[in-house]
Amino acid sequence: MVANIKDKAVIVGVGNTKFSKDSGVSELSLAVQAIKTALDDAGLQPSDVDGMATFTMDSNDEIEVARALGCGGLNFWGRSHYGGGAATGTLHQATMAIATGMAEVVVCFRALNGRSGHRFSSGVSGEITTADAIHWGWYMPYGLLTPASWVAMFTQRWMHNTGVTKDALFEVAHSTREYAVNNPNAFFHGRSFDRAEYDAARMIADPLALFDCCQESDGASAIILTTPERARDLRQPGVTVCGVAQASAPDQEQMTSFYRDEFAAIPEMEIAAKNVYQMSGLTPDDIDAAVIYDAFSPIVLWQLEAWNFCGFGESGDFVLDGALRADGRLPTNTHGGQLSEAYIHGVNGLVEATRLVRGQSLNQPSKNVDHALVTSGVGIPTGGAILGKLD
Amino acid sequence: MTPEEQNAFEEKIYAYSGAQVCARTPAADAVNPAMIRHWTEVMGDNNPAYTNEEWSASSARGKTIAPAAMLYVWNQEGYTVTTGRASDPQTDMVELFNEYGFTGVLGTNVTQEYFREVSPGDTVHVEMVIDNLSERKSTARGPGYFFETLATFTDQNNEKIGTQRFRVLKFIPQEQPAAAAEEKLAVPSRIASPRGHDNGWWWDACDNGQVLIQRCKNCQTLRHPPRPMCGECQSMEWDSIESSLDGEVLSYTELHHPKIPGYQYPLICAVIKLREGTNIVSNVVGCEPSDVYIGMRLKGKVEQVDEKNTLPQFYPA
Ligand SMILES: [Zn+2]
């Protein structure tokens, strides 16, 4: 069943902190900086906020964030699980709260010291016996315990099944890097790479090499949503949520769904895509630009197929035709993506997708962007959303 | 150390900041092919620019060069060091640290900068000063001070070849707790799975040399990894069968980075389809990483891989 929440919630403010490898401040400090920036962008006060949505992985309690910012009381808080699968999950929570009237101004945020604090690349450890640790226990003793290694296992089989080559992975990594070159807040501002450097970079987990993997980052991103009525009175052009969905699929595991009949696939994202298209009444042809979750280069390709921009196994040709570039069919990850801007668990992607619809991206495509797609991480329960212009 | 004692000590130590350890001195021997050959052999560096005179003669340089990283080699004192070092401001400063209990020493960083190349026949000169002395720091090793020496290298024409900064921590060694010392000696092992209600029986069987596959007693459906209810018929009654460990590679990856203590590299992980129909993740061993392919047939054995872990390991069939 697909609920009709089309155009019931509108993004009115966005904000990023500085992204770095060592913020030198607490995750709480990052969170409130990003939220304050987003409130200023919207022309709202902390006292206007009455709801919050973030990740189960986020260390910041909503009440601590509210006290630090000087919000009043809250009417709503909700968290999404599964790491980067929660990126648009926060948007999903906020949209439901606003559409049902449970809250009026909801902040979605993610703040992490992902480089100077706990690093994802250090892998899982299973020090405490939880259901989660028991799950990782099927992989840790063999040494399969980092995000790159799990994604590599999918990638190897997917390349085998489709015949897609590293040319396509390079194009994903290179196109995002070229966007980051123009973005002063990107890790790789002003720093391009070429194919020779890509090929020479060290291998992480075969077939993924260094430039196929995102950055571990310190930083925070936030967006503010409210009702369409209130959005019309605010500072920025409103960006409406045309459709948003969360999905998991049968036999889902967290990053290790290796037990399906064909595991080199992301059926959960296909479900999310179908529901978002149905909710919004839009088709792939209506989407002008995209922010596609890119913790690793190949996962962008799978999502292009899941969202029906091309058929199964055709994403390699699709990107090699220049589709992801500024003048291409689907300018994608125009902020530099998580591969080259920063890894803020996809919430910096919500910021960029909003800017694309507003016409404010640093790499704004010359064509009109009426609708932008934004997605969550894959290999996990995931989701996505289509954003559009508030009329 | 009282604050007054610390002040008095720091006054003496900081007096060494900027002190010249040695004036510009030539190396005992000029840059020479024998030393370059020894060094490149040890380093495993086969660059012909260092040792192949014929190749170098036809290169843009027209002659062999010394590896830049040999910068510090030419002016080393040699065997006489074993009979004691002549006193200089650096040895005096180190002695002062030792007197006040800062007997620990740890070289923490070396940074070299290169400005020009040298070739056999050139003579490297060195000059050294004590450059940076830090304030008192609390480190994991104990309280201490960092200092840097800056060596500047020049050739026979006084042209700058390069510099080297050597950063050292002098500290008051802290007594390590006995447990921590023991832990350091222990050989790291792989990270074992925690064992709970739903998976403990599987790992216990593995300890005894068996790979089991959970089976629904009601509808006979096999399932792995184990879970408490059958997803097909919702029965909670189950038993298990023992796997033949005949398998086929569905996918694989060679883990390169990060290398995790306790694991042996090269390391291959694979998703393996067992003859019984369920999939399992394990290692492929007994062959080169480049020999592994999707569709490869495997035969598993349960083996003790380290002190804490007994696991199925799969070999080419
Ligand atoms: Zn059953």
Side-chain angles (χ1 to χ4, degrees):
Chain A
M1 193 206 119
V2 174
N4 187 2
I5 53 76
K6 181 173 164 34
D7 298 334
K8 297 271 172 67
V10 180
I11 301 170
V12 293
V14 297
N16 289 326
T17 61
K18 180 175 179 292
F19 302 137
S20 71
K21 294 195 184 291
D22 186 1
S23 69
V25 300
S26 68
E27 294 181 335
L28 180 60
S29 172
L30 292 170
V32 296
Q33 287 176 48
I35 296 168
K36 181 65 170 58
T37 305
L39 288 167
D40 290 346
D41 182 53
L44 288 166
Q45 298 301 317
S47 55
D48 292 314
V49 173
D50 67 345
M52 289 190 187
T54 185
F55 292 48
T56 51
M57 276 184 107
D58 201 280
S59 71
N60 298 296
D61 282 354
E62 294 85 347
I63 50 176
E64 294 294 339
V65 173
R67 280 182 84 197
L69 266 169
C71 304
L74 299 177
N75 299 319
F76 168 78
W77 52 93
R79 291 193 174 216
S80 283
H81 195 20
Y82 309 116
T88 60
T90 59
L91 185 69
H92 188 251
Q93 291 276 317
T95 301
M96 290 195 298
I98 292 166
T100 55
M102 292 291 172
E104 192 175 335
V105 176
V106 180
V107 171
C108 303
F109 69 90
R110 176 78 174 109
L112 68 166
N113 280 325
R115 169 75 193 198
S116 65
H118 175 76
R119 297 181 62 177
F120 287 81
S121 69
S122 60
V124 290
S125 70
E127 273 161 22
I128 307 163
T129 304
T130 59
D132 198 45
I134 284 173
H135 160 67
W136 299 120
W138 300 107
Y139 314 105
M140 292 185 300
Y142 305 102
L144 192 75
L145 43 67
T146 61
S149 70
W150 306 320
V151 172
M153 196 70 91
F154 283 90
T155 306
Q156 190 90 265
R157 183 163 177 86
W158 181 78
M159 289 171 78
H160 173 82
N161 288 350
T162 58
V164 172
T165 67
K166 287 215 76 168
D167 291 351
L169 306 194
F170 169 74
E171 171 60 15
V172 171
H174 189 251
S175 58
T176 45
R177 176 63 69 87
E178 291 297 297
Y179 289 127
V181 165
N182 298 329
N183 174 0
N185 201 21
F187 275 175
F188 289 106
H189 176 230
R191 283 164 61 191
S192 192
F193 66 75
D194 61 20
R195 182 63 190 258
E197 285 170 80
Y198 173 85
D199 287 336
R202 74 172 160 184
M203 197 55 92
I204 303 295
D206 184 35
L208 301 179
L210 189 63
F211 293 135
D212 295 311
C213 305
C214 67
Q215 299 295 301
E216 291 169 309
S217 320
D218 287 9
S221 297
I223 62 168
I224 317 284
L225 289 95
T226 189
T227 59
E229 296 71 34
R230 196 155 173 190
R232 290 197 176 84
D233 299 332
L234 294 175
R235 184 174 291 161
Q236 295 283 356
V239 173
T240 184
V241 180
C242 305
V244 58
Q246 290 284 88
S248 75
D251 277 331
Q252 179 89 59
E253 283 199 2
Q254 192 171 177
M255 299 306 290
T256 52
S257 304
F258 298 139
Y259 309 94
R260 293 166 167 166
D261 288 344
E262 175 50 76
F263 70 78
I266 47 169
E268 46 281 351
M269 189 59 100
E270 291 168 19
I271 298 169
K274 183 173 131 280
N275 288 347
V276 169
Y277 283 136
Q278 193 181 331
M279 198 180 289
S280 63
L282 298 168
T283 70
D285 288 343
D286 297 312
I287 314 260
D288 305 299
V291 175
I292 298 180
Y293 197 95
D294 62 338
F296 301 95
S297 61
I299 74 174
V300 173
L301 300 169
W302 311 338
Q303 293 180 79
L304 289 166
E305 296 176 9
W307 286 85
N308 265 325
F309 292 105
C310 55
F312 174 74
E314 293 172 2
S315 56
D317 290 340
F318 183 76
V319 301
L320 290 171
D321 281 347
L324 308 183
R325 304 279 174 168
D327 56 354
R329 158 69 190 90
L330 189 72
T332 293
N333 296 343
T334 42
H335 51 326
Q338 302 193 88
L339 289 171
S340 287
E341 185 191 50
Y343 180 72
I344 311 297
H345 247 157
V347 178
N348 50 329
L350 290 170
V351 170
E352 178 65 7
T354 304
R355 287 180 175 155
L356 279 165
V357 176
R358 287 180 182 176
Q360 295 173 353
S361 169
L362 286 166
N363 291 297
Q364 187 69 30
S366 54
K367 69 175 174 181
N368 206 25
V369 177
D370 287 327
H371 297 107
L373 170 69
V374 56
T375 71
S376 292
V378 297
I380 37 186
T382 187
I386 298 174
L387 308 182
K389 292 184 155 87
L390 178 66
D391 54 19
Chain B
M1 215 186 268
T2 65
E4 292 73 33
E5 283 168 340
Q6 187 178 330
N7 282 341
F9 167 68
E10 287 183 351
E11 202 171 304
K12 288 188 205 171
I13 284 292
Y14 289 145
Y16 284 99
S17 186
Q20 190 177 53
V21 177
C22 75
R24 184 169 176 268
T25 315
D29 299 296
V31 174
N32 60 83
M35 195 73 94
I36 294 174
R37 185 175 58 76
H38 290 307
W39 196 89
T40 54
E41 267 180 26
V42 171
M43 293 294 168
D45 190 333
N46 301 321
N47 190 333
Y50 302 144
T51 49
N52 187 331
E53 284 179 18
E54 202 180 316
W55 183 92
S56 300
S58 60
S59 73
R61 296 185 184 90
K63 58 183 176 180
T64 59
I65 57 165
M70 284 186 78
L71 192 62
Y72 199 68
V73 168
W74 309 107
N75 301 78
Q76 290 292 300
E77 272 182 72
Y79 187 70
T80 54
V81 162
T82 59
T83 58
R85 203 183 263 278
S87 115
D88 63 37
Q90 189 182 353
T91 58
D92 295 349
M93 182 180 69
V94 166
E95 204 44 52
L96 188 59
F97 272 120
N98 292 345
E99 250 171 61
Y100 280 81
F102 295 87
T103 52
V105 59
L106 184 70
T108 59
N109 303 81
V110 180
T111 314
Q112 295 187 336
E113 268 187 305
Y114 313 120
F115 301 109
R116 55 194 299 124
E117 297 168 348
V118 293
S119 289
D122 288 328
T123 300
V124 178
H125 294 60
V126 67
E127 171 186 5
M128 191 190 288
V129 295
I130 296 169
D131 199 29
N132 280 316
L133 268 156
S134 78
E135 56 192 39
R136 187 185 167 107
K137 302 274 189 190
S138 301
T139 77
R141 300 282 179 141
Y145 296 81
F146 290 94
F147 72 86
E148 272 182 357
T149 54
L150 171 63
T152 304
F153 299 90
T154 45
D155 66 9
Q156 59 278 11
N157 304 319
N158 211 4
E159 300 264 14
K160 203 163 161 185
I161 302 166
T163 63
Q164 172 171 294
R165 284 182 179 277
F166 197 99
R167 187 170 158 88
V168 174
L169 172 66
K170 283 294 283 174
F171 59 98
I172 301 175
Q174 302 299 291
E175 275 194 31
Q176 301 289 331
E182 260 170 46
E183 212 169 274
K184 253 185 233 158
L185 292 176
V187 178
S189 54
R190 298 177 180 219
I191 305 170
S193 175
R195 298 185 189 193
H197 277 295
D198 295 333
N199 74 335
W201 62 272
W202 193 96
W203 288 106
D204 292 345
C206 200
D207 288 343
N208 294 320
Q210 287 184 305
V211 170
L212 300 182
I213 304 172
Q214 195 182 27
R215 179 173 63 182
C216 174
K217 267 191 175 174
N218 184 49
C219 75
Q220 311 295 305
T221 302
L222 298 175
R223 56 187 197 260
H224 181 81
R227 41 200 180 268
M229 181 180 280
C230 172
E232 298 297 318
C233 74
Q234 288 68 50
S235 169
M236 295 186 77
E237 299 295 315
W238 57 267
D239 58 10
S240 62
I241 60 167
E242 186 177 352
S243 171
S244 62
L245 297 181
D246 291 325
E248 179 191 330
V249 174
L250 292 181
S251 191
Y252 64 95
T253 181
E254 182 183 356
L255 292 315
H256 293 268
H257 178 85
K259 294 204 172 20
I260 296 166
Y263 296 81
Q264 254 104 54
Y265 296 84
L267 180 64
I268 304 280
C269 287
V271 180
I272 297 160
K273 185 164 207 71
L274 295 173
R275 195 178 69 194
E276 292 76 17
T278 54
N279 297 352
I280 188 171
V281 167
S282 181
N283 299 121
V284 180
V285 296
C287 63
E288 293 298 314
S290 57
D291 293 339
V292 181
Y293 60 95
I294 291 173
M296 181 182 190
R297 298 269 165 193
L298 301 171
K299 180 71 183 178
K301 274 196 262 183
V302 178
E303 294 175 345
Q304 183 165 5
V305 295
D306 57 34
E307 200 187 338
K308 291 186 187 153
N309 290 282
T310 298
L311 301 170
Q313 299 284 283
F314 285 78
Y315 292 78

